[in-house]
Amino acid sequence: DGGITQSPKYLFRKEGQNVTLSCEQNLNHDAMYWYRQDPGQGLRLIYYSQIVNDFQKGDIAEGYSVSREKKESFPLTVTSAQKNPTAFYLCASSISSGDWGYTFGSGTRLTVV
Amino acid sequence: GQQLNQSPQSMFIQEGEDVSMNCTSSSIFNTWLWYKQDPGEGPVLLIALYKAGELTSNGRLTAQFGITRKDSFLNISASIPSDVGIYFCAGLTRDMRFGAGTRLTVKP
């Protein structure tokens, strides 16, 4: 079955450490996205990628980095520069940028301890 | 970036009641979508609307794309306990913008 997989489901990080969240899709989608979700707020866009080897900053990119070396994979690194990293992170993909068919992963909950 | 104004923030209803929630924006969108998110999971698409004035149903769910292209509503009829979750509206032009969500609680 095609889908989008995020791992791990839960992640704990010590202050000052970088951590990488995995997102893999086998839907053959060109576009991939990372969103952050905080309680009581909508999803905020961190980074997006329209095609392999290309990515763009979203609304809240500071303290995050991404790479898109393969079509299937779009890992997100939460760096020590991110001041408030504890949140629920969602990865999504779509056939192309601007396509309505966003498929979401099941999310990674990151907690800084 | 432009976010959508979604209301109400939360609803507590009795099983069997109907539910209505809406989303407004100062910007025009080409597509409106409604998602449902269960706790600890990613959002799942419920209904997509592509044309101003369009009214679309999916089982007990009905959604409309506002005529001004700046708003949309979602109705759920005869609610059941598994309707519990957070409902998000989303507007799509070049990229997708989300409302803050409506948290629905259904009491049996």
Side-chain angles (χ1 to χ4, degrees), chain A residues 80-95:
Chain A
S80 57
Q82 170 49 236
K83 297 305 178 190
N84 184 22
T86 295
F88 190 55
Y89 291 88
L90 285 162
C91 179
S93 69
S94 63
I95 293 174

Side-chain angles (χ1 to χ4, degrees), chain A residues 1 3-4 6 89 94 97 108 111:
Chain A
D1 285 338
I4 183 165
Q6 289 186 243
Y89 291 88
S94 63
S97 179
T108 292
T111 303

Side-chain angles (χ1 to χ4, degrees), chain A residues 3-70:
Chain A
I4 183 165
T5 302
Q6 289 186 243
S7 62
K9 183 69 174 173
Y10 299 95
L11 189 58
F12 295 87
R13 187 197 91 176
K14 291 183 180 179
E15 283 192 29
Q17 286 182 339
N18 294 353
V19 63
T20 298
L21 283 60
S22 170
C23 179
E24 303 277 335
Q25 54 99 358
N26 61 1
L27 299 165
N28 201 32
H29 285 174
D30 282 323
M32 296 186 75
Y33 314 82
W34 274 105
Y35 287 90
R36 171 181 171 136
Q37 185 176 25
D38 294 286
Q41 298 194 37
L43 281 62
R44 292 184 291 166
L45 184 63
I46 305 172
Y47 268 98
Y48 65 99
S49 168
Q50 296 175 301
I51 200 166
V52 175
N53 294 320
D54 179 70
F55 50 83
Q56 306 293 330
K57 291 182 179 180
D59 299 321
I60 56 165
E62 185 175 349
Y64 300 97
S65 66
V66 294
S67 63
R68 187 87 186 278
E69 298 174 0
K70 297 187 300 182

Side-chain angles (χ1 to χ4, degrees), chain A residues 9 37 42 48 59 98 100 105-106, chain B residues 37 40 42 45 50 88 97 99:
Chain A
K9 183 69 174 173
Q37 185 176 25
Y48 65 99
D59 299 321
W100 64 268
S106 58
Chain B
Q37 185 179 28
L45 182 66
Y50 305 106
F88 289 100
R97 299 293 168 175

